[in-house]
Structure formats: C-alpha cells, structure tokens
Amino acid sequence: MSQPASPHPVAARIHRLTLRTLDGITDVLTTTALAAMVVVISWQVFCRFVLQFTPGWSSETALLLLAWLGLLGIATGVRDHGHIALGVLVDRLPRPARAVIGRLAPALMVVFGLYLVQQGSEFTRLMASSTLPATGLPTSVRYAAMPVAGVLITCYSGLHLFGLLPEKQPTQPDAATANDSGGDRDDEEHT
C-alpha cells in the first residue's frame, strides 16, 4: 500500500505564508483596536476626574473601537476555536453524529461570515454619506468592521472546514491538575 502523496512544497509554503499573513493582519488590527481603546478611555477618565471636563469625541471613539474589537475578536475566536460551543451536548452524541456536527459547525460559520460581508458592505455603503457627530468621521467607519470581520471569519472557517488550519496544541497539565478529578477519571478508564 502506498503512502499518500505529500503536498507540493511550494504550495505548502504559500499556504503557510498566506496563513501567517492573515493571522498577522488579524492580530495587528485587534491589538491596535484594543490599545487605542485603552488610550482613549484612559484619556477620558483623566480628563473627567483630573481636568474636570470630558472630551466629546472620546465616548464616540471608544464605542467605535469597541465595535471593531468585538467583531475582530469573533474572527480571532473562530481562528483559535475560542468561540462558544455546546461540547457537553455534542460529546454525548454517537461518533458519526459528532463527525457531522464537526463538519457542519465550520460550514455554518462560513455562511455567517458571508452574511457579515454582504450585510456589512451594504450598511457601510448606506452610511457613507452620514457622519458621526463628535468625531466627524463617516458613519461607514463603524459599519466597515462587519465586512472586514466577515472576510476573516469566512477565511478561517473555510480553512477549518477543509482541515487547512492547524489545530492549537493542548497544553500539558501540570502535576497538580493531573491529580484532580479529571486525572482520577482517566485512571479509572484505564483499569
């Protein structure tokens, strides 16, 4: 019996480079939004309690950054399998049903990502002519987070669906947690 052919080295390299670039963009956008939100909120608190005034733009900017951070956080959660799952229910199903759900979940996330791209693009287009009152930014800046996150969610979900996104390796439990009830249960199963 022959071994399955390994992927072409150039294609594997392009895949790794593309994935690294996509991860880098997602992480930079998320980290930048978080850092900017911390700076804006810190400035707002300092102004309110020390300088005795509140800049009008700070609340609006913080809410704008929160929208971006929340939607980009969803994309990061999809990438890292950090999203909410009903593991208790799925783990009780027979193995074939678990396999079906394992394939269905990323497919549904692709649909959700495409929905965000479509609806977010429409909202962004519709809001291009209005402006936010305090900052004067186009309102479309707020809604642009939807299609950006939708593209990222679609990409990451598609990669999960086709098994092209490497799974995160579980951390090894230390000696203290290995002796907890979970460790005892493992011992019972092996005896």
Side-chain angles (χ1 to χ4, degrees), residues 31-106:
T31 304
T32 302
L34 179 62
M37 194 164 81
V38 167
V39 168
V40 167
I41 291 173
S42 298
W43 178 250
Q44 181 181 19
V45 169
F46 176 78
C47 287
R48 180 178 295 154
F49 292 108
V50 176
L51 303 178
Q52 302 300 316
F53 82 96
T54 303
W57 56 269
S58 60
S59 293
E60 189 173 278
T61 304
L63 288 172
L64 178 68
L65 290 167
L66 180 64
W68 274 87
L69 185 61
L71 286 164
L72 291 172
I74 293 170
T76 303
V78 168
R79 176 189 73 192
D80 298 340
H81 280 291
H83 50 82
I84 296 173
L86 298 174
V88 173
L89 177 65
V90 174
D91 291 345
R92 295 182 190 276
L93 295 174
R95 189 176 301 269
R98 283 183 288 185
V100 168
I101 289 174
R103 298 299 274 174
L104 184 62

Side-chain angles (χ1 to χ4, degrees), residues 105-180:
L108 290 174
M109 289 304 292
V110 167
V111 171
F112 175 68
L114 292 172
Y115 176 78
L116 281 179
V117 170
Q118 192 274 327
Q119 288 297 307
S121 298
E122 182 69 18
F123 287 154
T124 303
R125 186 186 63 74
L126 289 173
M127 296 298 164
S129 60
S130 67
T131 58
L132 296 170
T135 59
L137 291 170
T139 307
S140 59
V141 171
R142 179 185 303 155
Y143 293 103
M146 289 174 66
V148 170
V151 167
L152 292 171
I153 290 168
T154 302
C155 289
Y156 286 131
S157 298
L159 290 169
H160 279 302
L161 183 64
F162 295 108
L164 298 173
L165 193 64
E167 299 292 326
K168 292 188 98 174
Q169 296 298 322
T171 57
Q172 295 296 329
D174 60 6
T177 57
N179 293 329
D180 287 346

